[in-house]
Amino acid sequence: MVRASKRALSIEYAIRDVVLPARELEKKGIKVIRLNIGDPVKFDFQPPEHMKEAYCKAIKEGHNYYGDSEGLMELREAIVEREKKKNGVNITPDDVRVTAAVTEALQMIFGALLDPGDEILIPGPSYPPYTGLVKFYGGVPVEYRTIEEEGWQPDIDDLRKKITERTKAIAVINPNNPTGALYDKKTLEEIINIAGEHDIPVLSDEIYDLMTYEGKHISPASLTKDVPVIVMNGLSKVYFATGWRLGYMYFVDPEGKLSEVREAIDKLARIRLCPNTPAQFAAIAGLRGPMDYLEEYMKKLKERRDYIYKRLNEIPGISTTKPQGAFYIFPRIEEGPWKDDKEFVLDVLHNAHVLFVHGSGFGEYGRGHFRAVFLPPVEVLEEAMNRFEKFMREKLSS
């Protein structure tokens, strides 16, 4: 037998791992309401028409070739314009790298930063690729606590305690996946200050930056003076183009502290050739085009968020905070007969036929919780919550 890498085999992706038992039920003709994957295009959302038209036009006009490893110059210029307008950052196209979504940006950053045993501080709970990819490159993911009672804001004291001489960066996911938290300015300033004290960069995942409800997203890149920040963003969420797999990162590095890291990232970019060329033309259209579709989409999402938040808090044995961004909610399992949150999620799946993701799949601080998306229309969420409420009442009364 040819043995696989232990690092590769150790990778878990809870969001898709739970799909396997759901498929077995669906093979039997059982209707499963899937609230596990954050893909708006699986529901009643689509990329805006001008982006779809630009994608098709690029293909028809012959833009089907290998592009520059850094990304097309026109797209990098559009990213500079977008980030100047949104975050007030002064960057140039040379500071921008186009990637196959944020996931590839993470792969490149961790590949460039980490030697075996190096540490990355990540929020807990956290999007699974942060943990999996750090481990894959031989690093150690170290979770810093976020505080549920404070809307899942980072625990700055805990973060500070967990920095060691092996810490290579502090990661921020804002708005947060899986909790829907939106970090305030004071918290972000404190994170930047801590990073500055230890001469390490901040990695800022901003894929949901315009998906906020009561507050506005603030980027660490807009707050820093001399601390290097690497920002990651893309088309998947705000531009509703999940399957196009296109994203970008850019460097805010006033003192050039990341020059060696940038060189390593560029080498990794070259070895994978280039990002999707026709999708880059669609991205140009999206970044420079109208955003009026977003108001309508966010109105729908807010209605759905408010509905699921109300329903979940009315279900016995369940409580939840209200998410301020993205399209996830992260309820707590207050009581019940389950030994852990994964057993709970599988029990809900097999008996109520509603698919959530177990909170422990997002790290140690996710234990005792589960994640649900509120992307489907209210009538679908209503059916899911009716099934779930019936399940909980029966379990807690037996």
Side-chain angles (χ1 to χ4, degrees), residues 327-341:
F327 36 65
Y328 308 105
I329 195 164
F330 203 65
R332 173 182 288 275
I333 308 159
E334 298 279 6
E335 58 179 307
W338 307 278
K339 67 179 180 183
D340 57 33
D341 51 76

Side-chain angles (χ1 to χ4, degrees), residues 72-73 158 177 197 208 364:
L72 300 179
M73 176 56 75
D158 188 62
N177 177 5
E197 290 168 21
Y208 303 95
E364 187 64 32

Side-chain angles (χ1 to χ4, degrees), residues 333 336-347 358-360 367-369:
I333 308 159
W338 307 278
K339 67 179 180 183
D340 57 33
D341 51 76
K342 188 169 185 179
E343 183 179 80
F344 164 83
V345 162
L346 291 174
D347 199 13
H358 48 291
S360 55
R367 292 190 183 281
H369 296 77

Side-chain angles (χ1 to χ4, degrees), residues 124-125 144-155 176 178-183 309 313 317-324 329-334 364-370:
Y144 61 88
R145 176 176 176 251
T146 61
I147 306 169
E148 184 174 9
E149 297 76 18
E150 297 178 11
W152 296 103
Q153 292 291 311
D155 182 337
N176 185 266
T179 64
L182 181 65
Y183 297 171
Y309 170 72
N313 277 318
I318 300 297
S319 67
T320 188
T321 59
K322 181 181 280 190
Q324 300 300 305
I329 195 164
F330 203 65
R332 173 182 288 275
I333 308 159
E334 298 279 6
E364 187 64 32
Y365 291 103
R367 292 190 183 281
H369 296 77
F370 63 95

